[in-house]
Each structure stands twice: as structure tokens, then as C-alpha cells.
Amino acid sequence: MSNPDVSSAGTGADADAECRLTVLCSGNGTNLQALIDAVASGEIPRSRITKVFINRKTAYAATRAHQAGIPSEYFNLVSGGFQQKGEKDEAKLRESRARYDAALAQKVLQDKPDLIVLAGWMHVFGEPFLTPVGAAGVPVINLHPALPGKYDGANAIERAYQDFQSGKLENNHTGIMIHYVTIEVDRGEPIMTQTVECRQGDSLDDLENRIHAAEHGLLVRATAKVVGDVLSKKSSS
Ligand SMILES: Nc1nc2c(c(=O)[nH]1)N[C@@H](CN(C=O)c1ccc(C(=O)N[C@@H](CCC(=O)O)C(=O)O)cc1)CN2
Ligand SMILES: NCC(=O)N[C@@H]1O[C@H](COP(=O)([O-])[O-])[C@@H](O)[C@H]1O
């Protein structure tokens, strides 16, 4: 069980500088677990995951955070009182999301993160989240199970698989990317990418498992790279 007070060993000009990570999850949290383990081992250097936010009550990511001694908070668009269950009015939906996004940005920034990682976070952010977070100089990165410019949005693996089944998947490969988060969903600058092949006879589960097996390592390596950039900035400031 890793302890939030145990961060990876300090090396370099300003050994005291530490990168504070906030992680946002909506699901099982296997990628959060990879981040927790990598911070504990030092693969992600001089860092600490100081807060986890989930937006689905049943997200096992909260259990993983608790087991690692990391504070977590459930914050949901509907149960948080921002949007009425079953609301269909487009203007009200937009307004609810804007208020939720602004409130979440305020909550996230309270913890003074140096980097925000979306690890299976299934809510599209609008400017009411991105603008204050950007103004605070906090980068946001996201794990997306597709290659740049392909299968933006939710259900990316399923759509790639459908294309594979119909012989339309380019080079019979899909992949994974870690990218900076911008207002245009899944179109932010890629940080790292990895191709994942589809094989004849693959079921959707086979492809999903191959992708999931690859994404943990890619997320850790990409996060470690961005942490390095953050720490360089911190130590030179
Ligand atoms: N402004 C941005 N917000 C988010 C980005 C981004 O690049 N820019 N990345 C996503 C993560 N993501 C894909 O990587 C993604 C997640 C969810 C959706 C989506 O359609 N969500 C629906 C709700 C779906 C659900 O609750 O099951 C929605 O928000 O209405 C698209 C892409 C995170 N945010
Ligand atoms: N568009 C974003 C998206 O689809 N993200 C996907 O959510 C899963 C989270 O798994 P986890 O909760 O076990 O880390 C991951 O497979 C990730 O690629």
C-alpha cells in the first residue's frame, strides 16, 4: 500500500521540487493504478498523486485511491445538483455543464496540482473548465484508445474494431495516444502514441485487452515525460 507521504526519491538541482498530480477517472481505474505504482517506484519521478476525482459513484478507481491512501472525491453532473435527471432542453444542458465544469475546475485547483491526468475520464470539458485551469498554468493530459485524428470521442475501440471487421481499418492497426487536452476533443497535441494491431479472428475483447495491456505503460511513460517538463520549469522558476 503506497502512502501519499511517500513520494519518489528526489534528484537534480532542486530535489525538494515535487510534481503534484491530480487524476480524474470514471471507471475501473487500472490506469490510475499504473500511475500509483509508477509514482511509488519512481518511474514517474519526484511526484505525488494528491487527489483523485471520479464522476461515477461505482468507479472502482475510488477504491484504488483509498487503498493507496490518496484522497478522492465523487463529483457528478446530476447528483451534484447541476443537471436535472432526464433533462432534454439543450440550453439547460449546456448551462448545467458549464456550471459543473466551472465548479470542478475550482475544486481541482484548490489542491494546487502541477499536472492533471485524465485516466479514463468520460466527460467532455468545455471552456468553463479549461480556461481557469489553463490560466493557472496547469497542463491537462488524456489517454485515448486511438491514434491521432482517428476515432475521436467515446467508444473508440469499438469503432476501430467495426472498421477492422469491414476491412476498412488502415493497415489493420489502431492504437493509443496520450495527448494534451484542448477544447477540440481528442485533437490536442499528441505526447506519445503507440500502434496496436488487429489480428484475423480477434474478438472485440481480444482487441480491447491488447489495447488495455499497452496503455498502462504508455500512460506512465508519457506522464513521466510531462512531469519532467513540469519539474524543469519549477526548478528554473
Ligand atoms: N475538452 C475536452 N474534454 C475531454 C477530452 C478532450 O480531448 N477535450 N478528452 C476526453 C476523454 N475522451 C476520449 O479520450 C472522451 C470521453 C468521453 C466522451 C463523451 O462523449 N462523453 C459524453 C458522456 C459519455 C458518458 O458519460 O458515457 C459527454 O461528455 O457528454 C468523449 C471523449 C475527456 N474530456
Ligand atoms: N475516450 C477516453 C477513453 O475511452 N478512455 C479509456 O477508458 C479506459 C479506462 O480504463 P481504466 O478505468 O481501467 O483506467 C481506458 O481503456 C481508456 O483508454
Side-chain angles (χ1 to χ4, degrees), residues 27-31 120 122 143-145 153 212 215:
N28 185 354
T30 60
N31 284 283
M122 302 305 286
L143 161 66
H144 183 56
H212 292 330
E215 59 190 11

Side-chain angles (χ1 to χ4, degrees), residues 92-105:
K92 287 182 180 175
L93 291 171
R94 279 193 301 276
E95 192 269 340
S96 302
R97 290 180 76 108
R99 286 190 299 110
Y100 172 82
D101 282 2
L104 181 56

Side-chain angles (χ1 to χ4, degrees), residues 56 97 121-125 142 144 153-154 179 181-182 186:
R56 293 180 183 171
R97 290 180 76 108
W121 175 256
M122 302 305 286
H123 170 86
V124 174
F125 284 126
N142 176 57
H144 183 56
H179 65 95
V181 170
T182 62
D186 299 333

Side-chain angles (χ1 to χ4, degrees), residues 75 82 97-109 128-129:
F75 194 61
F82 297 93
R97 290 180 76 108
R99 286 190 299 110
Y100 172 82
D101 282 2
L104 181 56
Q106 202 172 13
K107 280 179 174 286
V108 166
L109 292 174
F129 180 88

Side-chain angles (χ1 to χ4, degrees), residues 10-191:
T11 55
D14 180 353
D16 296 336
E18 202 177 48
C19 187
R20 295 170 61 87
L21 304 176
T22 291
V23 184
L24 277 60
C25 306
S26 298
N28 185 354
T30 60
N31 284 283
L32 167 66
Q33 191 62 57
L35 294 172
I36 290 169
D37 297 344
V39 164
S41 71
E43 190 175 356
I44 296 176
R46 296 163 54 199
S47 297
R48 184 199 309 256
I49 301 172
T50 54
K51 189 73 180 268
V52 171
F53 285 91
I54 61 168
N55 67 342
R56 293 180 183 171
K57 196 124 184 85
T58 57
Y60 192 70
T63 302
R64 295 178 191 275
H66 177 71
Q67 288 170 344
I70 300 168
S72 69
E73 183 173 346
Y74 168 60
F75 194 61
N76 179 272
L77 180 65
V78 174
S79 64
F82 297 93
Q83 181 175 302
Q84 293 293 323
K85 194 174 175 67
E87 178 62 66
K88 300 285 185 217
D89 180 278
E90 285 299 324
K92 287 182 180 175
L93 291 171
R94 279 193 301 276
E95 192 269 340
S96 302
R97 290 180 76 108
R99 286 190 299 110
Y100 172 82
D101 282 2
L104 181 56
Q106 202 172 13
K107 280 179 174 286
V108 166
L109 292 174
Q110 266 170 358
D111 200 57
K112 301 191 184 325
D114 298 301
L115 173 61
I116 297 165
V117 184
L118 308 186
W121 175 256
M122 302 305 286
H123 170 86
V124 174
F125 284 126
E127 288 300 356
F129 180 88
L130 297 173
T131 299
V133 167
V138 183
V140 186
I141 67 175
N142 176 57
L143 161 66
H144 183 56
L147 293 172
K150 308 279 185 188
Y151 308 110
D152 297 342
N155 307 315
I157 303 174
E158 292 85 343
R159 287 179 283 139
Y161 183 73
Q162 284 161 7
D163 280 355
F164 173 64
Q165 292 287 79
S166 52
K168 290 191 293 185
L169 185 65
E170 210 173 316
N171 303 318
N172 283 336
H173 276 77
T174 181
I176 313 161
M177 71 168 163
I178 315 298
H179 65 95
Y180 286 102
V181 170
T182 62
I183 193 65
E184 199 182 358
V185 177
D186 299 333
R187 288 299 171 111
E189 178 195 349
I191 300 160

